[in-house]
């Protein structure tokens, strides 16, 4: 069951060929993890969505409160029988149908889709040789639009195809300044000793919710130093650890990049601290 503007419907027939998200990528989305009816980091997701809608010049409906959207998400989860499960939710926001590049109407449409996940808390997964490579066919332009979760994800699609065709588990994306920005499905962190580096938002990386959580964990740890600065491709093989973050997997350690094999000691420690923080919240 899919929640389309508050109505529970079956299938995807509610999307028309005139939908602006489909035609022009005129849409935003949030990917959420919900555990036993609790939306993880919901306040951060909500305020990122509201900020993104303002940047996209979308007119935010008066009823789009945190409480309203939370109730719509939980209604969708319950309708699918997932109330006691761990769930991945996608909330899609667009300007509905009509118009060319210029929207004919300024109405806001939304849909909510839920699918079951296997685990509740975050664990270090895929401790096989999780291998990445640089994707250099296309580049991310630094700027505010690149930090948003919009439906314009062509580089992520092409990078994913490249990774599959070349037997990589993921790819790292570069911006037009040739700095490493992020992975295909999450933000990137680089560990050297007790220093942990991640690209700044101004480089064009996604303003990730899990990125924010991990930064908070690092800053409150007392054991590590955070450095938000650009990452050169030449730094990757010199690092002790590399890991990727997103709200579905939490932390995904990178085990291999070219000839370099990486440790997972600090990424596993940060994941333990993250789970502790979640249990106490």
């Amino acid at each position: 069951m899919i929640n389309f503007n508050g109505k529970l419907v079956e299938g995807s027939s509610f999307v028309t060929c005139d939908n602006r998200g489909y035609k022009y990528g005129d849409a935003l989305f949030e990917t959420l993890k919900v555990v036993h009816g609790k939306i993880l980091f919901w306040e951060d997701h909500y305020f990122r969505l509201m900020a993104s809608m303002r940047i996209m010049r979308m007119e935010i409906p008066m009823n789009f409160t945190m409480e309203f959207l939370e109730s719509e998400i939980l209604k969708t989860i319950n309708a699918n029988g997932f109330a006691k499960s761990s769930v991945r939710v996608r909330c899609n926001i667009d300007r509905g149908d009509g118009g060319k590049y210029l929207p004919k109407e300024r109405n806001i449409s939304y849909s909510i889709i839920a699918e079951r996940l296997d685990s509740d808390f975050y664990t270090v997964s895929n401790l096989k040789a999780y291998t990445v490579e640089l994707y250099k066919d296309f580049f991310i332009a630094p700027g505010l639009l690149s930090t948003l979760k919009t439906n314009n994800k062509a580089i992520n699609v092409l990078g994913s195809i490249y990774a599959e065709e070349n037997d990589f588990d993921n790819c790292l994306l570069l911006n037009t300044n040739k700095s490493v920005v992020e992975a295909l499905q999450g933000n990137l962190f680089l560990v050297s000793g007790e220093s942990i580096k991640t690209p700044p938002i101004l480089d064009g990386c996604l303003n990730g919710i899990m990125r924010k959580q991990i930064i908070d964990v690092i800053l409150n740890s007392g054991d590590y130093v955070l450095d938000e600065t650009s990452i050169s491709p030449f730094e990757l093989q010199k690092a002790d650890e590399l890991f990727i973050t997103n709200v579905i997997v939490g932390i995904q350690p990178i085990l291999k990049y070219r000839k370099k094999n990486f440790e997972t000691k600090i990424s596993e420690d940060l994941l333990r601290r993250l789970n502790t923080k979640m249990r106490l919240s």
Side-chain angles (χ1 to χ4, degrees), residues 217-228:
V217 169
I218 293 168
L219 292 176
N220 292 321
S221 69
D223 297 317
Y224 307 115
V225 177
L226 177 72
D227 188 11
E228 288 189 70

Side-chain angles (χ1 to χ4, degrees), residues 19-29 52 55-56 58 90 92-95 101 138-141 144-159 173 182 184 204 206:
N19 179 268
R20 298 188 57 79
Y22 168 75
K23 290 177 72 173
Y24 305 118
D26 184 12
L28 297 162
F29 69 96
S52 299
I55 293 168
M56 290 289 289
M58 291 180 169
R90 175 176 168 131
N92 201 77
I93 311 290
D94 59 56
R95 269 182 273 248
Y101 288 147
F138 299 98
F139 304 98
I140 293 173
L144 201 55
L145 285 179
S146 297
T147 71
L148 307 181
K149 292 198 70 138
T150 73
N151 282 20
N152 294 288
K153 293 295 182 183
I155 189 170
N156 302 74
V157 172
L158 294 172
L173 303 177
E182 61 190 2
L184 292 171
L206 177 69

Side-chain angles (χ1 to χ4, degrees), residues 4 12-26 94-100:
F4 178 58
S12 57
S13 58
F14 62 89
V15 178
T16 74
C17 61
D18 289 322
N19 179 268
R20 298 188 57 79
Y22 168 75
K23 290 177 72 173
Y24 305 118
D26 184 12
D94 59 56
R95 269 182 273 248
D97 298 352
K100 304 301 182 186

Side-chain angles (χ1 to χ4, degrees), residues 3 6-8 70-80:
N3 186 328
K7 296 181 180 179
L8 294 168
E70 181 179 14
S71 68
E72 290 298 294
I73 292 165
L74 296 180
K75 180 170 77 175
T76 309
I77 289 171
N78 293 337
N80 284 280

